[in-house]
Amino acid sequence: MSDTDTPPRGGTDFLRQIVAEHTEAGRYGGRVVTRFPPEPNGYLHIGHAKAICLSFGIAAEFGGRCHLRFDDTNPETEEIEYVEAIQNDIRWLGFDWGEHLYFASDYFERMYECARVLIRKGLAYVDSQHEEEIRRGRGTVTTPGEPGPYRDRSVEENLDLFARMRAGEFPDGAHVLRAKIDMASPNMIMRDPVLYRIRHASHYRQGDDWCIYPLYDYAHCLEDAFEDVTHSFCTLEFENNREIYDWLLDNVGFEEPRTHQYEFNRLNVEYTVVSKRKLLPLVKSGYLSGWDDPRMSTIAGLRRRGVPPQAIRLFCDMVGVAKAESWADPGKLEFAIRDVLNRSAPRVMAVLDPLRVTLTDVEEGARELIDAPYYPRDVALEGSRPVPFSRELYIERADFSEDPPRGFRRLRPGGAVRLRYACVIRCDEVVKDESGRVVELRCSRVPASEADEGAKSMGTIHWVSAPDALDAEVRLYDRLFRVPDPEDVPEGGDLRDNLNPDSVVIVRGCKLEPSVADDPPDTRYQFERTGYFWRDPEDGRGEHLVFNRIVTLKDTWSKRATAFAAGTATARAEATPPHRTPTQPPQPKGPRLGEEREARRRADPDLAARMERYVREMDLTPEDADVLTGSREAADFFEKALAEHDDPVGVASWMVNDLRGVLDGRSVGELPFDGTGLGILARMVADGEVSRRAAKDVLAVMAREGGTPADIVRRLGLEKVADRDALTPVVEEVLASWPDKVSEYRSGKENLIGLFVGEVMKATKGAADPKVVKTLLTERLGRDT
Ligand code: ATP
Ligand code: MG
């Protein structure tokens, strides 16, 4: 954890540095104009998202604008359907081009005029060789090309032939227009590139107006120049095309300061294919349900799966831009999704593989409503819903074992487990069918006093009241491919050989708590202990409930492949030598979350060992362990804190979630306090001396000015109020404002106590001691009966 963990925003990567330098030097009068230029020949994918975040992001950061321009110069593959889908996807990602929507095909007339300028200057000619002859005449990387027989046609003849090409006098392939540059150039692209070809095809926008179409290299730079673009960003494979970009603009007569092209590394993601062309056969063969199949790497697929747009933007920030090709671990995208959902998704209970539990000591037909918080671990977010509790429940089949392995903390015959938000139950009897399969558990509630013994080793499981449960189908999505590089196919095979056979598992008969029926259909939930889910927008929002798993709670793949600590993603990136020429800016020191930390761990075996230990022995998530072992500074800080308060998961959460928020550009070592201070604060919260909410304020003060937690708590008056006299008026007030709930409580709904405690806590901004509040409330509620 250091200052470099903040996602790059403004002025950090090499492209932002270039734009910043130009802006400061006043090169474009302070203007910044970028563009995103998709060809409307398919759906956008996660790779495009990186380009979109980059061009729209830079424009926004520098107070400029970003154009959306459809690069629709090829009549054969483009369709209006894609034009609409692309606009929809970009808007959904959160970007806006305002009035700057352009179509390259609208420039055909101007492009034609520019070609005539080149012809008149003797810099372009009509070549009448066959395609194959032109190719041969170009030579190879090791041998120079040869001038063809039409290279020295006169300007007049060229102008005449070019006009007749446009007029439709010739069939496809009869002639092309070529730039006249250098047939021996070391850059093959400069060996008289073809600028125009004849295609008698209808264009989806221009109809039959044109039968000559410009090629990419010719069209793209002109489009940028016509729109007064200042910075034109594209992927590294266009590095060699930069020379023709500049040659054309200079020779057509665009003067400096004109647009320039800058290349960055494209986004490749392991276990993922980011090419429309390669995904198309899978869609066509029916293996995928469409371009928006939730396993697809398309924006439409990610959206349907339930991925929030913020997570895609965060992921693009995390991978950053650089000059070296690299492969991103899809765990990074999953990390970003969890990061966003963890903060926003309400927690509810859902049982995917139900096993019936009968509570023999609960009366038949009895029903209690438990007020359960939506965000049990985050006091900053409010909200709760009633969860029905009754004699018949469902629990997860996997939460019971007749013959449990060591360390099993869930239900076993004769054992006890805590039901989330409810009570502790003991399994008295196991009911099986003729085949020996467990079909029901007969259990009874255990009194709180008995439950407290051994409560430490007892697990907490989720459950759903059987008569109230909603039935749902759940689709468990996983990676589409089972190998890191799906395009590496066996001899004679194809992509299908690399598919993950378990990329979707459909589970029917799942049981959900009933509150879900009342929520907006696009709510994204955390099903407690199970994962993040939302209702499938196509199939799941009617009578029949269908939920997609957006992402699991933990990174299950890193354990399978142990790739997390070993850092396969960057290992591969390093195997490729970085593209760099002397004229280009130096490699950015660009902060890239995760990758940099992985690199540090590779260089430092001590850090790698700590990572391993944090996950295995301390039960931290790999994401948290990753952050904590990104530097020795961070890991030492963490361990110092543990020395004060031995709760690794809790302390990790303080560091990852709270401490990062107060770093303010500093590294952990630059804070005016060390791990001891954080450990003490975490302990004070655990001991009930200060509320978690108040402790966040304390932390902010510590980060600003240093000091010890106890002093700051005292100074700010944040000690938990345990004074009965001080709390009694607040308790009275809360009860007075909930008369209905008070009478419900008195008629037996004792679980409402949670609601009252919560209200008092809210009223005291978390300062009250909940134990004292609860005592006061029970006394007060009992007195009037
Ligand atoms: P595909 O191979 O899927 O057809 P493409 O590159 O042909 O993709 P375009 O519509 O030409 O698709 O791309 C529009 C812009 O998006 C271009 O500027 C291109 O450089 C950028 N882009 C495409 N793929 C990626 C990627 N994987 N990473 C970053 N940028 C990308
Ligand atoms: Mg392309």
Side-chain angles (χ1 to χ4, degrees), residues 42 159 224 494 653:
L159 284 173
D224 287 345
D494 62 36
S653 156

Side-chain angles (χ1 to χ4, degrees), residues 121 124 132 150 179 234 337 356 362 392 412 451 482 484 491 503 542 552 558 594 599 615 617 641 658 709 732 778:
K121 287 185 171 178
E132 176 55 29
Y150 305 100
C234 65
I337 299 170
R356 183 175 283 271
V362 172
E392 305 286 334
R412 66 180 80 198
R482 61 184 168 79
E491 275 282 316
S503 61
T552 52
S558 67
V615 174
E617 291 171 22
D658 304 294
E732 297 290 343
T778 24

Side-chain angles (χ1 to χ4, degrees), residues 731-752:
V731 166
E732 297 290 343
E733 203 174 305
V734 165
L735 293 182
S737 56
W738 292 92
D740 295 353
K741 297 283 171 195
V742 168
S743 41
E744 278 177 45
Y745 176 91
R746 286 184 173 144
S747 56
K749 290 200 179 152
E750 299 199 347
N751 278 303
L752 282 169

